[in-house]
Amino acid sequence: MAAEDGGGEKQGAGAAAARKAKRQGGFRTMPFILANDFCDRLASVGFTSNLITYLTLQMHLPLVQASNIITNYNGTANLTPLVGGLVADSFAGRFWIITFGSVVYQIGMVCLTLSAALPSLHPPPCAKHAADCQRASSYQIAVLYLSLLCTSIGTGGTRPCTMAFGADQLELNAHGRRGARPKWSFFNLYFFAVELAKLTAVTAVVYVQENVGWGWGLGVPTIAMLAAVIAFVSGYSLYVRMPPGGSPMVRLAQVAAAAFKKRKAAVPDASLLYQDKELDAGISTTGRLLHTDQLKFFDKAAIVTDGDVLPSGQPNPWRLSTVHRVEELKSIIRILPICAAGIILVTSSSHNHSFAIQQARTLDRDLTPHFRIPPASMLIFTNLAMLLTLAFYDRVLVRVLRRLTGRPNGITHLQRTGVGLTIAMLSNAVAAVVERRRRSVAAASGLLDAPKATLPMSVFWLVPQFTIHGIANAFMDVGRMEFLYDQAPESMRSTAAALYWLTFSIGSYLGTLLVTIVHAKTQRSGQWLPDNLNRGKLDNYYWLVVALEVVNLVYFFVCVKYYTFKPLETVGGEEEVELYHGNGNGADGAKKQGGSFK
């Protein structure tokens, strides 16, 4: 009887654990996760979209300096996610890193709001007839930098983990049910929510900033960020929380070190390389990576030689690695060139938050006699275009393409990315043509030396360039993120998401470098980017960006041609072994019994 009671207790505990696992994950977690990211983006976009106005009209900084502050801030804010992703994958887990990042971001927003609200933290308004305005002091700029630094650190916790954390709830949940697949791709759903937040920010928040004041204009996003923290933490018991698998960077370093130590060894047949399912269990819960023929040098790390095994019977990780761990390193190396193709796209779009908004400020923005469109609200057309394209793509285009290609997602992630890169070039070409017309209107109106005058040209001339950019983002941003989640080793998905943001960081810094070089090199021959855009040659800058995008697109096609998708061994619902060959279709990739792959 005692034994029976003990067995009953174990069965009861097991059933309770199963019921708990069943209650976790799925669409029920989306309101908490997406609410967090919605408020996060409302806060960030609410001040970054109009930051050029704040820096030039409130802090009284020159246009080029203000533009560089913005691109440097974007660069830092997109660099910190690399650290956050590594910490999450190594020991902290995604939930706690998101929570930490949200709190630090909240502190930065509070400091930024105080900077705008307290008269001592910003220069006084310009006198109506004053030729020169008092610039912000070093102390006031230092407070601004401190605020931006806090928000940058905060994004290091939220950006690399939120997408991967949300995908864990849906994509992994779908794996547990054969044939099941979410009605929406998580990444389409994620970017749809992000664009809704941006839409709200560039309309309501920007309107408050322009017409009520910067104290309230930054206070609203600050309150939204507080709501984000509360919303996310309140869903704690519902989340699937994948345990961290140890430092991925240490594992990658161990593989590289082991391969280097055995650099003179001959690589045997792949079947003789070291395998250890038990050792890899914690970092391969959805399947082990299988051997590939690329980058064979690293296979040397999986050759068993004398001294590789410790007295305890365990392998010395700095001398011997499993095939799975070797393939983790190979996967990351293969991903990097594809990631790099996104850098130029970020550089080419960085002016949308600076020069394009300054263009809008010179144009006729009156909708009615009593309402004028804020310049930063022109970004609404990018957001609307991306929202509509995402909905059309997921609900209509995928179904049509699926019939033509036989792929669950219609086209591969890399094909989707390539379409986005191509469309983005058209956006900047249109921007160059429109800017040339804007300058000709200024010349015909005798307003070349009146940079604050309103030209007799509608601001809606800028709509096409913003709209085309939004369409390009709907293809490229989602395609890149799906590709990274699909092709990254499962234990490194937060780190892979950080690579996505790293391209934004490098692209932003490159944007700063490009603007600085162009500004310096064109001073003698006629400045392209002066404070008075009517006397500049901004259209030449746009054509330069188009040329860089053409070179980048050719580079991307070369990378795709030589890319090899990862083969993955998975375990089905009835414990049979299956092979999943990553093909750019994410969780919905085709599976087949047995067989072999290249």
Side-chain angles (χ1 to χ4, degrees):
M1 288 294 294
E4 290 178 4
D5 290 341
E9 290 176 2
K10 291 180 179 179
Q11 291 178 356
R19 286 194 299 271
K20 181 180 179 181
K22 189 176 181 180
R23 289 198 304 268
Q24 291 178 326
F27 269 100
R28 66 174 70 87
T29 63
M30 290 301 102
F32 302 97
I33 297 173
L34 295 181
N36 172 271
D37 208 62
F38 181 93
C39 295
D40 181 356
R41 293 312 178 92
L42 182 67
S44 61
V45 177
F47 78 87
T48 56
S49 61
N50 208 21
L51 189 56
I52 187 68
T53 301
Y54 181 73
L55 294 176
T56 55
L57 299 186
Q58 301 296 316
M59 303 297 280
H60 308 150
L61 300 178
L63 176 60
V64 169
Q65 182 183 355
S67 174
N68 286 343
I69 287 176
I70 293 172
T71 50
N72 286 335
Y73 163 71
N74 288 333
T76 304
N78 291 305
L79 181 62
T80 54
L82 185 60
V83 178
L86 288 172
V87 172
D89 284 340
S90 299
F91 60 87
R94 290 166 191 152
F95 173 83
W96 292 112
I97 290 298
I98 295 172
T99 303
F100 169 79
S102 299
V103 171
V104 176
Y105 199 105
Q106 175 71 29
I107 294 172
M109 288 300 300
V110 169
C111 293
L112 196 63
T113 303
L114 293 176
S115 163
L118 298 180
S120 61
L121 297 181
H122 60 264
C126 300
K128 289 185 178 180
H129 302 290
D132 296 318
C133 298
Q134 179 182 332
R135 290 191 186 183
S137 66
S138 298
Y139 167 72
Q140 291 167 341
I141 293 179
V143 173
L144 174 69
Y145 282 169
L146 178 63
S147 305
L148 296 178
L149 178 62
C150 285
T151 58
S152 298
I153 294 173
T155 58
T158 57
R159 287 186 180 177
C161 299
T162 301
M163 280 189 282
F165 188 70
D168 288 345
Q169 316 304 313
L170 293 184
E171 306 294 340
L172 295 182
N173 186 268
H175 282 178
R177 302 186 305 275
R178 180 176 300 280
R181 111 174 175 60
K183 295 181 179 178
W184 273 67
S185 158
F186 169 74
F187 295 103
N188 277 338
L189 184 63
Y190 170 84
F191 279 102
F192 191 87
V194 165
E195 290 307 307
L196 277 179
K198 291 181 179 179
L199 189 63
T200 305
V202 299
T203 51
V205 176
V206 168
Y207 180 83
V208 172
Q209 292 169 351
E210 293 277 350
N211 296 278
V212 179
W214 281 91
W216 278 107
L218 293 174
V220 170
T222 301
I223 296 171
M225 195 63 233
L226 177 62
V229 180
I230 296 173
F232 181 74
V233 174
S234 64
Y236 176 82
S237 61
L238 298 177
Y239 301 137
V240 171
R241 297 184 296 279
M242 298 291 290
S247 173
M249 297 305 293
V250 170
R251 289 201 305 276
L252 298 184
Q254 289 171 339
V255 172
F260 180 77
K261 290 175 181 177
K262 302 174 186 177
R263 59 190 179 278
K264 296 182 180 180
V267 179
D269 184 82
S271 62
L272 301 178
L273 296 176
Y274 182 64
Q275 302 268 12
D276 192 329
K277 292 185 178 181
E278 186 176 338
L279 181 64
D280 292 332
I283 56 174
S284 59
T285 56
T286 60
R288 289 187 308 139
L289 293 171
L290 300 178
H291 179 264
T292 60
D293 289 332
Q294 287 185 324
L295 302 169
K296 289 187 176 181
F297 171 79
F298 295 107
D299 289 342
K300 297 175 185 291
I303 301 173
V304 182
T305 61
D306 293 338
D308 288 349
V309 180
L310 299 172
S312 62
Q314 293 295 315
N316 180 347
W318 293 98
R319 290 189 56 85
L320 180 63
S321 297
T322 63
V323 169
H324 176 83
R325 295 177 185 227
V326 170
E327 292 300 323
E328 280 188 324
L329 178 57
K330 288 185 183 181
S331 295
I332 293 298
I333 293 175
R334 286 195 296 262
I335 284 172
L336 289 177
I338 301 288
C339 284
I343 294 174
I344 293 297
L345 186 77
V346 176
T347 300
S348 68
S349 63
S350 59
H351 52 254
N352 283 344
H353 293 275
S354 54
F355 299 127
I357 291 176
Q358 290 301 91
Q359 287 175 276
R361 188 170 293 282
T362 68
L363 301 178
D364 181 7
R365 296 178 281 114
D366 291 331
L367 270 187
T368 70
H370 305 289
F371 181 76
R372 173 175 289 185
I373 302 174
S377 289
M378 292 303 294
L379 292 167
I380 188 177
F381 295 103
T382 297
N383 305 136
L384 280 174
M386 188 167 180
L387 280 170
L388 295 175
T389 304
L390 285 172
F392 177 77
Y393 183 91
D394 204 279
R395 300 289 85 191
V396 179
L397 191 57
V398 166
R399 298 179 182 181
V400 174
L401 293 173
R402 190 181 297 150
R403 296 192 189 101
L404 297 176
T405 65
R407 296 181 180 275
N409 284 1
I411 57 177
T412 68
H413 307 325
L414 292 179
Q415 289 170 337
R416 183 171 183 173
T417 301
V419 171
L421 289 171
T422 305
I423 295 174
M425 291 190 300
L426 180 60
S427 173
N428 286 302
V430 170
V433 173
V434 171
E435 170 57 15
R436 189 173 184 84
R437 174 174 173 77
R438 190 197 67 82
R439 280 209 340 271
S440 67
V441 169
S445 305
L447 298 173
L448 287 176
D449 295 312
K452 295 185 179 180
T454 299
L455 303 180
M457 177 179 174
S458 173
V459 74
F460 290 108
W461 276 86
L462 299 178
V463 170
Q465 67 193 63
F466 284 107
T467 300
I468 296 171
H469 184 69
I471 296 172
N473 283 348
F475 281 89
M476 200 215 63
D477 283 351
V478 180
R480 282 198 302 154
M481 195 61 245
E482 287 182 328
F483 167 77
L484 285 172
Y485 188 86
D486 180 53
Q487 290 298 296
E490 70 170 77
S491 61
M492 300 180 67
R493 280 173 171 162
S494 294
T495 305
L499 291 177
Y500 171 84
W501 294 112
L502 182 62
T503 62
F504 279 81
S505 174
I506 298 173
S508 296
Y509 286 131
L510 187 58
T512 298
L513 179 63
L514 184 63
V515 167
T516 301
I517 292 175
V518 168
H519 185 63
K521 296 297 183 181
T522 60
Q523 282 185 337
R524 294 182 180 179
S525 59
Q527 287 190 18
W528 288 11
L529 307 172
D531 288 347
N532 180 7
L533 290 180
N534 295 341
R535 285 289 186 183
K537 297 179 182 178
L538 183 58
D539 52 324
N540 288 354
Y541 174 81
Y542 286 147
W543 285 119
L544 174 62
V545 169
V546 171
L548 293 175
E549 287 181 299
V550 171
V551 174
N552 186 60
L553 186 62
V554 173
Y555 162 80
F556 175 76
F557 286 150
V558 171
C559 291
V560 171
K561 178 178 176 62
Y562 293 101
Y563 185 78
T564 297
F565 290 94
K566 70 178 185 183
L568 183 70
E569 177 188 76
T570 64
V571 179
E574 299 176 359
E575 298 301 320
E576 75 275 14
V577 173
E578 300 175 323
L579 296 180
Y580 162 59
H581 190 265
N583 56 7
N585 282 322
D588 304 321
K591 295 179 180 178
K592 64 180 280 188
Q593 293 283 137
S596 61
F597 295 90
K598 293 181 181 179

